[in-house]
Amino acid sequence: MQTQMQPEVDPRYPIGKYQKHPPLKDHERAQMIESVTAAPAKFREAVKGLSDQQLDTPYREGGWTVRQLIHHVADSHMNSYCRFRFAVTEAEPTIKAYDEKMWAELFDARTAPVELSLNLLDSLHARWVMMLNSLRPIDFMRTMKHPEHGAMTLDDALALYEWHGRHHAAHITALRSQNG
């Protein structure tokens, strides 16, 4: 009997690459907001019980350490939160891009206890979700301009950052599975 081989998962994209969505339906948006709500707890669970040595293990060859990954998510989601606020309060603002690779190499991103960023994610996501839940469906059509990617709606940004949280949590859980 012939067995089918499972396709190899690209360790850079354990849940697949981000796929742009059409405008979200209300129930899809609600599901994504729920995922954003749950993200901090998923990160806490993903790193629970890891030693400093394990936190300083790259999640893949050539990738960031788990510690850098947690700090990256906090940095990235802080930027996203601010971008949402700009898009809601300004007419198509041009948002500030940043070099996430350089941010991940800064001293604090390489050495700070992950609890600092986990606490930040708890508070940040609580505020972000409060704001998201206060927006009307039409507000999610508001746009911002990314200097590298062009115009994006708040629906686009919500879908991207919902994926971003699941994507990086999967990096950590895949590493844990791989290394026992």
Side-chain angles (χ1 to χ4, degrees):
M1 175 163 46
Q2 214 173 11
T3 60
Q4 281 190 324
M5 303 257 322
Q6 291 292 334
E8 187 106 2
V9 174
D10 184 339
R12 294 173 301 168
Y13 302 102
I15 63 168
K17 288 186 177 182
Y18 173 72
Q19 308 251 333
K20 188 169 171 151
H21 291 263
L24 299 172
K25 293 179 173 62
D26 290 346
H27 75 277
E28 293 170 318
R29 192 176 300 115
Q31 288 172 337
M32 289 192 179
I33 292 170
E34 185 54 40
S35 181
V36 170
T37 302
K42 290 187 189 260
F43 282 105
R44 279 191 184 283
E45 186 61 31
V47 299
K48 186 178 180 180
L50 294 181
S51 68
D52 279 336
Q53 180 181 2
Q54 291 168 319
L55 290 169
D56 292 330
T57 302
Y59 71 90
R60 67 172 174 85
E61 188 174 323
W64 292 330
T65 67
V66 172
R67 183 183 311 276
Q68 286 172 300
L69 201 58
I70 293 293
H71 296 312
H72 159 72
V73 171
D75 291 341
S76 178
H77 290 200
M78 277 191 296
N79 274 284
S80 181
Y81 171 74
C82 291
R83 290 169 178 175
F84 268 78
R85 294 183 76 80
F86 286 127
V88 169
T89 61
E90 298 177 16
E92 200 172 66
T94 298
I95 58 172
K96 174 91 171 85
Y98 69 101
D99 187 332
E100 63 185 31
K101 291 177 182 161
M102 288 187 71
W103 281 38
E105 291 302 323
L106 292 172
F107 180 78
D108 64 314
R110 289 183 292 106
T111 64
V114 294
E115 192 64 29
L116 293 174
S117 284
L118 293 171
N119 288 339
L120 192 152
L121 285 169
D122 288 337
S123 297
L124 175 65
H125 278 238
R127 283 280 309 275
W128 194 7
V129 167
M130 183 181 285
M131 181 185 67
L132 291 172
N133 283 326
S134 75
L135 299 178
R136 301 165 301 170
I138 192 74
D139 294 327
F140 285 92
M141 296 298 106
R142 294 184 66 92
T143 58
M144 60 181 108
K145 287 184 191 169
H146 191 290
E148 297 161 5
H149 306 294
M152 61 189 316
T153 66
L154 290 184
D155 263 349
D156 295 333
L158 175 59
L160 174 63
Y161 282 92
E162 184 276 337
W163 170 86
H164 187 258
R166 289 185 302 108
H167 165 73
H168 285 310
H171 281 139
I172 300 166
T173 56
L175 177 65
R176 286 186 80 125
S177 294
Q178 179 184 343
N179 292 355

